Amino acid sequence: MATAKNGNPSVVPLPTADRYRSGVIPYKAMGYWQPDYLPPETDVLAVFRITPQEGVDPEEAAAAVAGESSTATWTVVWTDRLTACDAYRAKAYRLDPVPGTGPGSSMPQQYFAYIAYDLALFEEGSIANLTASIIGNVFGFKPLRALRLEDMRIPVAYVKTFQGPPTGIVVERERLDKFGRPLLGATVKPKLGLSGKNYGRVVYEGLRGGLDFMKDDENINSQPFMHWRDRFLFATEAVNRAQAATGEIKGHYLNVTAATMEDIYERAELAKELGSCIVMIDLVIGYTAIQSMAKWARKHDMILHLHRAGHSTYTRQKNHGVAFRVISKWMRLAGVDHIHAGTVVGKLEGDPLVTAGVYDTLREPATKQDLRHGLFFDQDWAGLRKVMPVASGGIHAGQMHQLLTYLGEDVVLQFGGGTIGHPKGVQAGATANRVALEAMVLARNEGRDIWNEGPRILADAAETCSPLRDALEVWKDVAFDYASTDTVDFVATPSAA
Amino acid sequence: MRITQGTFSFLPDLSDQQIRRQISYAVERGWAISVEHTDDPHPRNVYWEMWGHPLFDLRDVGEAMRQVQTCRAAHGSHYVKVNAFDSTRGWETVRLSFLVQRPPVEPGFDLSRDEGEGRQVRYALRTRTR
């Protein structure tokens, strides 16, 4: 325990008569700060990064977060006495200063506040209910300058109330008959403006050239230049033609995102009738709609792809919002099969350590506390199926050794520009990616050091594959080397949990 | 046509030495090697004929290679693949699967289209017979 109990001892705990006298008393005194509390394994745990306003006692700030995310309001209410309020109250039980903040740094002092919630506070199987508590009101709370939900521990008892991914990594691979390598995809570009017929052409070329999946972009729904039915019909022709030409199962993520749930279901039903193996939704449709589609997908043997549209508005800045690893946990519970989760090397935010923590959260049966990777708690998924992460945004064949090293093989590598921007065309771009991938997996399995030998391995593979040769030449100098915004703050030897 | 099923089908056909290295990789991980063959590579044909049981507890990669050779010899005009099965909890599935033989001529597939209402087409993929 890194914190001393250095708050004013006179405020905790108050005798019952004083605690419930009308008026305003500190959250600490209301019972929301309990440094001796030992959370049972059925509690939901959360760790917040809090930045108290100038002069606010950090323990009081942590207690306020516990209070405002559970039972408290700003004043004492006698009606607490009609409930088992001691149990329903969330408890802030630990407070650690964040390394590299406060005096001597350029940042205001921040703290990691650990808060425990009784399981009875939450409705079974409802992300909406869970989040309405944990992030419902508290992020606008005035005594805090900023607040970020860093991580959560979902107890097994609660995990078991969620359906989880409708398909999961294992079953997806068995359905597609694709094993031992990352899957390959590409997003149709330009993302806006193509007619249905021209759009389907790109889908066909990509799949025919060697990709497993093509993908609608997050903002392709049903616009004047291409209504959704037209897109679905032409994409289906493309998928079937490509399957006949290759003998492989192929897919196109048909984005069924729409204005209302009724519209979403209508689009998903057509995708099903057309025999599509996969549909897609955007994160912006909301947690309840996502869970509805998870149930629909399980019922209809459909792989469910989630694009994390909008997430960077609240995941990227380190001092305020919700860390993406938490969104990942919620989405594994809610039940999606694919989720965009970062590339490390591409054009979008993604620190290697943070990304590793997210990938483990999505794919592992259980994860251990690992502060280096931003994982604050042990998490047991109790057999819940695994989510396939999707790496998308500014990646190309020349990075294959880095991608395989960072991301492993249970991932969809999604090359949009890196396929469609190929100088010899979409098919050539797809072939370049597939050959680069297979050559790298073959070499890795043979025990070669792909991190160092990667460029050599690619060059060798390009000897018999001119599309790969062209790709390596065009994109040889492309790298996105910028400092990450969302990185982990940890001390090498953390205090005991 | 050249079907592109399996982990390495976009590379030139693997030599026996390359096949042996991939099998070694699987065996080192405790995965069971099995050999399967078929004359119908339809992508929905999940159950190829098994060439004997999966080789559980295999230490000798040479034994797996012998299975590959005997299967090829007996079914020269079939597709033959090697699977590596991982029985670890949470996987319990194939982790690597690659072709080790193609027939001399790959006949490919026919795609038929039945037109229905609302511009919908019902597609059917059929393996061509030689």
Side-chain angles (χ1 to χ4, degrees), chain A residues 37-257:
Chain A
Y37 182 71
L38 289 174
E41 61 186 30
T42 54
D43 273 7
V44 171
L45 303 181
V47 58
F48 291 88
R49 178 193 294 255
I50 60 176
T51 313
Q53 296 279 14
E54 201 83 32
V56 172
D57 168 24
E59 288 176 6
E60 174 63 8
V65 171
E68 290 294 326
S69 61
S70 62
T71 57
T73 186
W74 59 277
T75 185
V76 172
V77 292
W78 67 269
T79 44
D80 264 348
R81 304 297 303 276
L82 303 176
T83 71
C85 55
D86 290 340
Y88 295 144
R89 223 173 260 138
K91 294 106 182 155
Y93 65 95
R94 175 175 165 176
L95 193 65
D96 298 340
V98 174
T101 67
S105 79
S106 60
M107 313 264 287
Q109 182 68 56
Q110 301 176 350
Y111 299 87
F112 290 127
Y114 291 70
I115 298 175
Y117 302 82
D118 189 278
L119 188 53
L121 293 174
F122 306 105
E123 178 175 346
E124 57 276 13
S126 172
I127 298 293
N129 177 254
L130 175 70
T131 54
S133 271
I134 307 286
I135 60 169
N137 254 348
V138 66
F139 280 70
F141 193 56
K142 281 182 179 170
L144 302 172
R145 191 181 295 191
L147 180 65
R148 187 187 205 215
L149 178 55
E150 288 282 349
D151 197 10
M152 291 187 74
R153 190 279 304 268
I154 314 294
V156 166
Y158 199 37
V159 170
K160 291 297 284 182
T161 67
F162 286 88
Q163 173 197 280
T167 314
I169 290 176
V170 169
V171 177
E172 173 170 350
R173 285 191 174 283
E174 291 190 344
R175 270 191 213 158
L176 300 174
D177 191 34
K178 294 173 194 289
F179 304 99
R181 63 167 173 87
L183 301 179
L184 284 177
T187 309
V188 175
K189 305 282 174 182
K191 51 208 269 181
L192 298 170
L194 291 170
S195 72
K197 179 163 182 271
N198 294 333
Y199 195 92
R201 164 61 72 187
V202 181
V203 174
Y204 172 69
E205 297 291 324
L207 296 178
R208 177 73 179 87
L211 303 187
D212 304 301
F213 291 123
M214 291 295 285
K215 171 180 168 292
D216 287 345
D217 224 330
E218 73 282 358
N219 52 355
I220 272 288
N221 297 155
S222 192
Q223 282 105 321
F225 48 81
M226 176 172 58
H227 289 125
W228 67 274
R229 282 186 58 93
D230 227 27
R231 181 171 84 257
F232 283 29
L233 292 168
F234 279 113
T236 303
E237 170 72 17
V239 167
N240 281 281
R241 282 269 284 114
Q243 289 187 158
T246 62
E248 281 187 89
I249 306 289
K250 304 281 186 179
H252 176 75
Y253 314 162
L254 293 167
N255 189 351
V256 299
T257 297

Side-chain angles (χ1 to χ4, degrees), chain A residues 339-384:
Chain A
I339 184 171
H340 291 239
T343 64
V344 180
V345 298
K347 70 178 178 183
L348 302 176
E349 175 74 31
D351 170 72
L353 299 174
V354 169
T355 304
V358 169
Y359 273 60
D360 286 349
T361 290
L362 295 168
R363 296 191 298 203
E364 294 299 319
T367 49
K368 287 284 179 201
Q369 182 200 53
D370 184 351
L371 297 178
R372 279 186 332 119
H373 290 177
L375 302 177
F376 287 76
F377 304 107
D378 293 355
Q379 174 68 52
D380 184 348
W381 289 102
L384 208 69

Side-chain angles (χ1 to χ4, degrees), chain A residues 324-342:
Chain A
F324 189 71
R325 76 185 63 85
V326 177
I327 304 295
S328 300
K329 285 188 177 169
W330 293 347
M331 291 303 104
R332 187 166 177 181
L333 294 170
V336 300
D337 292 316
H338 289 181
I339 184 171
H340 291 239

